[in-house]
Amino acid sequence: MKLKNSISAAVLAFLVAGPALAQQPLKIGMVTTLSGPGGYLGQDVRDAFNLAIELEGGKLGGAPVQLLVEDDALKPGQAKEIAERFMKTEKIKLLTGIIFSNVAGATVPDILDNGGIYVSPNAGPSNFAGKECHKNYFVVSWQNDTLHESAGQNATNLGYKKAMVLAPNYQAGKDAIAGFKRFFKGDVVGEIYTRLDQTDFAAEMAQIRAAKPEVVFQFHPGGLGIAFMRQYAQAGLLTEVPMVVAAPSLDAVILKAIGDAALGVNISSHWNSDFDNASSKKFVAEFQKKYNRMPTYYASQGYDTALAIAAALKATGGKVEDTNAFSAAMRKADFQSVRGAFKFGPNQHPINDWYSLKVEKGADGQLGIVTKGKVLEAHSDFYAKSCKI
Amino acid sequence: MDDPLKRAIAPRKNVRSVLLVALALVVLAVLPQLADMFEQPAMVSLATRIIILAIAAASLNLALGYCGLVSFGHAAWYGIGGYVVGILYNHYVSGDPLFGLPLGTDQMLITLPVAILVSGLFAAVFGALSLRTSGVQFIMITLAFAQMIFFFFVALKAYGGDDGLIVRRRNSLPLIDTRDGATFYWICLVIAITWFALLRRIVSSRFGAVLSGVRQSERRMAAIGISTYRYKLVVFVISGMGAGLAGALMANHARFVSPDMLHWTQSGEFMIMVILGGAGTLLGPAAGAAVLILLESQLAAFTEHWQVILGPLLVLMILFTRGGLSGLWKLLRGGLNG
Amino acid sequence: MSLLMEQALNGVQLGVTLFLLAAGLTLIFGIMGVINLAHGSLYMIGAYAMAAVAAKTGSFLLAFPAGLLAAGIAGVAMEYLVVRRLYARDHLDQVLATFGLILFFNQLTTILFGRQPLFVEIPDFLEGSVMIGGIVRYPVYRLAMIAVGLATAIGLYVLIARTRLGMLIRAGATNREMVRALGVDIRLLYTLLFGVGAMLAGLAGVMAGPILSVQVGMGEQVLILTFVVVVIGGIGSIRGAFIGALAVGMVDTMLRAYLPGVLRQLMAGPDADALAAGLSAMGVYMLMAIVLLVKPQGLAPAHG
């Protein structure tokens, strides 16, 4: 009887995987994270991408498109499987959507080796930005380090001399601290590595209080950041030691979850919902109308990714089969980014301005993230110089 | 042949089951062609993943199902197997010496045995300690050791830390192109068949009889003069080696290793596969791996809220069958025959 | 000195939170013999229910019992519909079934509340921090958590040592069959016990809500640590859960606080910090491995 099991499993495999659908519109594959604590990141990227398609009436750059979305559950193995199915079964050439660097690290080489094009709406790990850069690999969001470089510059501009830095003990955390230190001119009086599965930061708060720095830089994305910020405020540190963070540690969702505990925190980002340009205004208004919530900067990246693809599709007449032509069209970045001036550097990662923001109470008493000024102008990344395409 | 223990657990042989095995093997052997025919090329990769996980689940089952050693740390041996491949490959590419010797390699004929040996070695050391406990304590101590190894790899910055290691190219074999998906599938299939045949030999041998004796009553086994500790340790090591083999194959299949492979949720997933398929049955874990992975991938393609379907399915499966899929099969067959 | 005091308080506070989770789990585990992986889901349900009611009504005093009640009801329903059928089963069946429940609860929460973490405010009367003995400044809310945790521990002790229900629980832990043979409605007792365990988990979730992130998957983050506490303390033993929880809380906090400093004496800064983070993450598991090797039945076993 045990033997029949394996047969029924094999038969089942064929039954459940139906024949491929007839191919009409151009299919774009989105592998993203929708479940678990990081789920809202993928959700915002997907929703904003869909919004861009909808605003063009089901098209991007004049070409009818169909977006296929699947949840990778933050598992690199699962993401690879989905990407492979997209490419082989659905014959998709153009993929996007990955949120987390470790998932991208596993999946992107596969996509490129199989002749696909990948446009990243979020993760921008350093290993693909330098020597390993690729002509069919674009990052619309940022190179990971630049987020924290802008925070370092912001802290320098604000005149702080003694900083304490905290990040989880994993690669992105270490990169964050390295990026911050690269642009922070003062002294770093303490480095603390936290854990990715940590929920209680009381021990770290006590250490910060004991070290008496002038400013704290911390990188704790998503739920980690919520717990960290709340406990920082509850420990009474917010009034004693100001904080400088990069965008991932305090996005619109985290702000909503933290409330007043975030008041006065300095953020640096490439985009904010109050940006005064036509593209951004349209995006924020339409996003709120459709989804009834504030877009996070993840959403802005999903939207920009769709616009960048649309611009390239317009130039190639809706075709991606000739990947060289498509890449060449992508490289021009001929679209109105919600973040204002935008172009691709030699490694096909963005060159754009970085801004300082601050959490403030508006006239209506609502908390909001307010843009204060520029931190870095037309900033590229550290790895671009070692890329030869 | 006159060993009563052996006779008692010897599998009932009949023509029908032999035919069924043959048929299953034929289907599995021509799966890449079938996948082409049905225009489902991604099937091959999915099937490869299932086969690899089936090896891991069957290995865990040897300890868990046949000997009653509920290990909640098998992801550690699986991950170590994977890291052996990843580390050897990275040294091969960079040319940096390993332990002061030029040991890096991308030859599968070397990496797989090394992966099996290294995982077996670790399983021996940690197994020797863990086996001083039993029952729930054994579950938790295997978890503890696996978590320590997990955090070790997370902190291991030289090999990528939390981000893991990319194995840009699959390990190679003489004369065979392993980079071709179908070829690699066949390699995994052959290895899996060999491994299952070996497991069958083990469980139907006198050694296997002692194992099931230990599962039923360790005290009785000790009373008839058998040193159960040694048997348990040997089975734990073999089981760890199998998991290491699976990890090494997965590193080749995914061309990527990361600490995720060692996380406790991965250990849990192996356990789920074994229980779902039916613990203590030879092919049950393979069926469990296949059904779990197929359900996951098909439901995820169907709805983003796939877990809300998969969860209750698992619960119902347990409530209404005894012994997972094997139990379900028995139920169905009982219904048809009776 | 004040830093050490503060860290000790932090250890105690983490410990009592773990105790609330572990107390329910150890009762269910020790007395009913059920490995309930979905215990973390009850913690999550408590936190979500509390957050939802607080957002709707703005009242902490309403939200607090709501969280407890929701977790309790979910627990009783879980026992009645699923767990009840698993008592006679293998531990392995329980593992698979309760794993299925985790998937279900997580996704259901996502469907109901969305993927964004929820906001929970600290009630006004627990805001801020106070000076203790003129040396340590400590957040009022955390002090309240310690107080609630200790009060619950004492309450449980009284319940188990002094009441008829407690007597039955102790008897059940020692010899399940005998209690049943004496004509006690063991089914009702089990349902009740499961509900109490669920409410304790809910209480932990409710209290953690304002300081942690209320999000899907928060249960699994603490689940393994809770099992560690239960096993270190001794399965089925409330006293053990208390000792184990404090030990885990202290070890974890102290390693995180002081290991980097110690290692920095021995090696370069960044290396020391990274190594210390890795070692302190392992600390709790090392503690468990050592306890199990030296005292396999845990620090304070329930019986024998």
Side-chain angles (χ1 to χ4, degrees):
Chain A
M1 47 120 258
K2 301 154 200 160
L3 318 162
K4 280 189 192 163
N5 282 338
S6 57
I7 298 176
S8 19
V11 172
L12 182 71
F14 283 104
L15 289 181
V16 285
L21 289 163
Q23 205 163 339
Q24 280 291 332
L26 173 72
K27 286 183 186 168
I28 300 174
M30 180 175 271
V31 187
T32 195
T33 305
L34 293 173
S35 48
Y40 78 88
L41 280 64
Q43 186 185 24
D44 262 18
V45 166
R46 179 198 61 186
D47 288 352
F49 200 103
N50 271 326
L51 178 70
I53 297 176
E54 201 168 293
L55 289 177
E56 227 199 286
K59 294 176 181 172
L60 280 182
V65 292
Q66 184 193 351
L67 185 70
L68 276 71
V69 186
E70 271 192 46
D71 177 16
D72 61 30
L74 225 173
K75 290 182 188 164
Q78 202 153 325
K80 285 172 78 92
E81 212 70 62
I82 296 167
E84 176 150 14
R85 186 148 29 87
F86 277 168
M87 294 188 75
K88 288 194 173 159
T89 311
E90 306 283 349
K91 310 275 185 250
I92 293 175
K93 273 254 182 265
L94 183 57
L95 289 101
T96 179
I98 299 176
I99 301 296
F100 292 95
S101 293
N102 59 335
V103 178
T107 315
V108 169
D110 261 14
I111 296 172
L112 300 178
D113 289 355
N114 285 318
I117 299 168
Y118 183 75
V119 186
S120 175
N122 197 57
S126 55
N127 38 354
F128 301 143
K131 268 199 317 222
E132 294 269 320
C133 63
H134 195 283
K135 65 179 171 54
N136 290 338
Y137 173 69
F138 292 85
V139 175
V140 175
S141 46
W142 22 255
Q143 199 284 313
N144 287 357
D145 295 33
T146 54
L147 286 167
H148 310 291
E149 289 168 2
S150 68
Q153 187 64 45
N154 196 16
T156 307
N157 290 358
L158 290 166
Y160 296 119
K161 300 274 182 286
K162 273 169 65 184
M164 183 135 180
V165 296
L166 301 98
N169 186 34
Y170 74 132
Q171 206 53 46
K174 290 170 188 163
D175 290 349
I177 287 184
F180 178 84
K181 288 206 269 189
R182 203 175 289 143
F183 276 72
F184 179 62
K185 299 286 178 288
D187 290 329
V188 173
V189 294
E191 279 178 40
I192 298 178
Y193 289 96
T194 56
R195 293 207 301 263
L196 265 183
D197 60 348
Q198 194 167 331
T199 51
D200 189 287
F201 296 95
E204 286 75 13
M205 297 308 157
Q207 280 169 281
I208 295 173
R209 200 195 311 277
K212 296 196 175 57
E214 283 175 22
V215 66
V216 162
F217 165 74
Q218 56 97 5
F219 168 62
H220 287 93
L224 287 174
I226 296 174
F228 190 95
M229 284 299 306
R230 272 191 199 158
Q231 293 172 28
Y232 193 77
Q234 282 155 19
L237 279 164
L238 202 57
T239 47
E240 291 172 26
V241 188
M243 188 186 279
V244 170
V245 297
S249 306
L250 197 57
D251 59 43
V253 167
I254 300 182
L255 177 65
K256 222 177 134 197
I258 303 174
D260 285 351
L263 204 57
V265 173
N266 300 292
I267 313 168
S268 56
S269 182
H270 52 308
W271 179 80
N272 190 24
S273 50
D274 67 355
F275 269 23
D276 192 22
N277 67 60
S279 185
S280 177
K281 278 181 168 167
K282 179 180 170 195
F283 163 64
V284 173
E286 295 287 348
F287 191 93
Q288 278 186 300
K289 198 168 90 194
K290 173 135 197 253
Y291 301 111
N292 199 18
R293 62 174 196 264
M294 271 311 260
T296 58
Y297 77 91
Y298 302 106
S300 84
Q301 292 162 190
Y303 188 75
D304 264 0
T305 304
L307 294 189
I309 290 174
L313 285 176
K314 198 170 173 193
T316 62
K319 298 218 176 339
V320 292
E321 285 71 27
D322 181 355
T323 54
N324 282 332
F326 185 83
S327 294
M330 271 295 288
R331 225 166 285 141
K332 294 200 184 89
D334 186 17
F335 68 100
Q336 291 301 314
S337 165
V338 294
R339 58 185 100 159
F342 179 102
K343 61 179 181 178
F344 284 118
N347 55 351
Q348 306 183 151
H349 285 57
I351 297 180
N352 57 249
D353 300 340
W354 288 82
Y355 298 83
S356 67
L357 325 169
K358 203 175 176 102
V359 179
E360 287 179 351
K361 261 204 171 112
D364 54 353
Q366 290 284 320
L367 278 181
I369 303 177
V370 183
T371 308
K372 289 286 167 193
K374 246 176 223 182
V375 177
L376 291 164
E377 197 140 349
H379 185 55
S380 176
D381 62 87
F382 183 66
Y383 306 95
K385 56 181 183 289
S386 37
C387 167
K388 307 264 179 293
I389 291 183
Chain B
M1 251 315 163
D2 279 317
D3 192 333
L5 272 171
K6 189 171 167 181
R7 210 182 318 138
I9 58 111
R12 247 183 339 142
K13 282 189 182 145
N14 60 44
V15 185
R16 212 167 58 153
S17 54
V18 173
L19 276 177
L20 276 170
V21 173
L23 184 65
L25 286 181
V26 169
V27 171
L28 283 173
V30 298
L31 191 109
Q33 277 77 18
L34 289 175
D36 271 353
M37 222 160 73
F38 288 90
E39 291 181 355
Q40 295 287 333
M43 275 289 303
V44 178
S45 164
L46 190 66
T48 312
R49 186 157 142 229
I50 289 172
I51 287 176
I52 295 171
L53 291 172
I55 294 176
S59 305
L60 171 62
N61 184 37
L62 181 68
L64 188 157
Y66 287 101
C67 196
L69 299 174
V70 184
S71 163
F72 197 2
H74 257 51
W77 326 129
Y78 174 73
I80 286 173
Y83 263 97
V84 166
V85 170
I87 290 173
L88 288 176
Y89 179 83
N90 267 49
H91 281 277
Y92 166 76
V93 171
S94 68
D96 294 340
L98 178 63
F99 305 127
L101 296 166
L103 291 176
T105 178
D106 76 330
Q107 289 301 314
M108 201 179 282
L109 288 176
I110 302 172
T111 56
L112 289 192
V114 173
I116 294 172
L117 278 179
V118 173
S119 340
L121 202 68
F122 275 92
V125 172
F126 288 107
L129 284 171
S130 307
L131 284 167
R132 294 167 59 147
T133 65
S134 60
V136 174
Q137 281 79 16
F138 180 79
I139 304 181
M140 295 308 287
I141 202 167
T142 48
L143 168 75
F145 287 134
Q147 284 292 89
M148 286 183 211
I149 299 171
F150 166 76
F151 285 117
F152 171 76
F153 279 103
V154 169
L156 194 63
K157 202 181 170 185
Y159 297 113
D162 194 71
D163 281 358
L165 275 178
I166 293 177
V167 179
R168 195 82 194 216
R169 282 194 181 185
R170 242 171 226 154
N171 286 173
S172 46
L173 279 174
L175 304 177
I176 300 174
D177 176 22
T178 54
R179 294 180 70 190
D180 175 59
T183 311
F184 186 67
Y185 165 81
W186 279 313
I187 294 170
C188 289
L189 184 62
V190 169
I191 293 175
I193 290 171
T194 316
W195 184 247
F196 274 89
L198 191 71
L199 288 179
R200 190 163 178 277
R201 284 289 301 255
I202 293 175
V203 297
S204 56
S205 67
R206 190 168 186 290
F207 178 77
V210 174
L211 296 189
S212 82
V214 170
R215 190 191 68 231
Q216 284 155 20
S217 166
E218 192 167 345
R219 205 177 292 172
R220 200 189 314 153
M221 281 295 151
I224 59 173
I226 289 172
S227 160
T228 55
Y229 179 82
R230 257 191 276 160
Y231 276 87
K232 287 196 290 186
L233 185 57
V234 170
V235 85
F236 191 80
V237 171
I238 297 175
S239 169
M241 286 170 137
L245 168 67
L249 288 175
M250 189 52 101
N252 272 295
H253 173 59
R255 291 182 283 149
F256 176 71
V257 287
S258 77
D260 286 346
M261 285 178 83
L262 300 103
H263 198 244
W264 67 268
T265 47
Q266 181 70 63
S267 297
E269 210 163 287
F270 290 146
M271 264 168 84
I272 300 297
M273 286 170 188
V274 172
I275 305 165
L276 184 64
T281 60
L282 186 65
L283 292 176
V291 168
L292 191 70
I293 299 297
L294 284 173
L295 276 177
E296 257 184 33
S297 68
Q298 293 306 320
L299 287 177
F302 169 64
T303 163
E304 63 181 80
H305 298 302
W306 53 277
Q307 291 177 340
V308 89
I309 304 173
L310 181 62
L313 261 181
L314 293 179
V315 174
L316 290 176
M317 172 81 87
I318 284 304
L319 290 187
F320 296 106
T321 69
R322 282 179 181 259
L325 290 170
S326 304
L328 181 65
W329 183 245
K330 254 184 231 164
L331 267 180
L332 285 178
R333 212 172 53 156
L336 288 177
N337 291 352
Chain C
M1 187 58 213
S2 73
L3 185 61
L4 184 67
M5 275 271 298
E6 186 174 351
Q7 298 293 21
L9 277 171
N10 288 334
V12 171
Q13 184 260 317
L14 181 59
V16 295
T17 312
L18 285 173
F19 167 71
L20 292 178
L21 280 159
L25 194 65
T26 203
L27 285 178
I28 292 165
F29 200 174
I31 293 164
M32 305 186 224
V34 172
I35 297 186
N36 181 20
L37 293 186
H39 199 67
S41 299
L42 297 167
Y43 167 79
M44 176 180 77
I45 290 169
Y48 263 94
M50 185 255 188
V53 173
K56 270 267 181 308
T57 65
S59 159
F60 182 77
L61 293 177
L62 279 177
F64 192 89
L68 294 191
L69 209 63
I73 291 171
V76 169
M78 198 193 279
E79 199 273 345
Y80 189 79
L81 292 172
V82 178
V83 177
R84 168 169 291 194
R85 294 155 219 270
L86 296 171
Y87 291 137
R89 296 290 191 85
D90 207 55
H91 279 331
L92 295 177
D93 285 1
Q94 299 163 357
V95 166
L96 183 55
T98 51
F99 172 77
L101 288 177
I102 294 184
L103 293 184
F104 175 73
F105 280 121
N106 276 349
Q107 202 65 52
L108 191 68
T109 311
T110 307
I111 294 172
L112 288 178
F113 294 95
R115 299 184 172 90
Q116 284 78 7
L118 297 188
F119 170 69
V120 191
E121 206 161 3
I122 291 188
D124 289 339
F125 60 95
L126 295 174
E127 200 83 65
S129 49
V130 288
M131 268 322 234
I132 306 171
I135 32 176
V136 187
R137 222 181 157 77
Y138 205 69
V140 179
Y141 190 79
R142 282 179 190 264
L143 283 177
M145 283 177 86
I146 295 177
V148 171
L150 291 179
T152 313
I154 294 167
L156 273 176
Y157 173 77
V158 172
L159 175 83
I160 286 178
R162 296 289 152 85
T163 65
R164 191 181 139 72
L165 179 65
M167 193 185 71
L168 288 174
I169 291 174
R170 273 180 291 143
T174 318
N175 193 335
R176 208 182 318 173
E177 300 309 315
M178 187 57 84
V179 177
R180 194 175 304 166
L182 289 173
V184 175
D185 185 350
I186 203 98
R187 287 189 117 185
L188 188 68
L189 178 68
Y190 279 11
T191 309
L192 206 65
L193 201 56
F194 205 93
V196 170
M199 276 174 81
L200 288 173
L203 177 60
V206 164
M207 292 203 313
I211 62 168
L212 305 184
S213 164
V214 178
Q215 60 185 0
V216 173
M218 64 189 286
E220 285 72 72
Q221 285 177 340
V222 293
L223 178 69
I224 288 292
L225 215 51
T226 308
F227 269 102
V228 169
V229 166
V230 167
V231 171
I232 288 180
I235 293 159
S237 156
I238 291 283
R239 200 164 59 95
F242 190 72
I243 296 170
L246 285 185
V248 167
M250 276 297 177
V251 165
D252 194 62
T253 306
M254 289 303 168
L255 281 180
R256 260 160 51 205
Y258 292 106
L259 197 59
V262 173
L263 287 181
R264 236 177 268 152
Q265 312 285 319
L266 306 172
M267 56 178 87
D271 288 345
D273 291 334
L275 182 68
L279 281 179
S280 63
M282 286 184 213
V284 168
Y285 297 99
M286 283 184 197
L287 174 71
M288 173 162 79
I290 293 167
V291 167
L292 285 180
L293 288 175
V294 179
K295 290 190 78 174
Q297 295 309 313
L299 293 174
H303 38 81

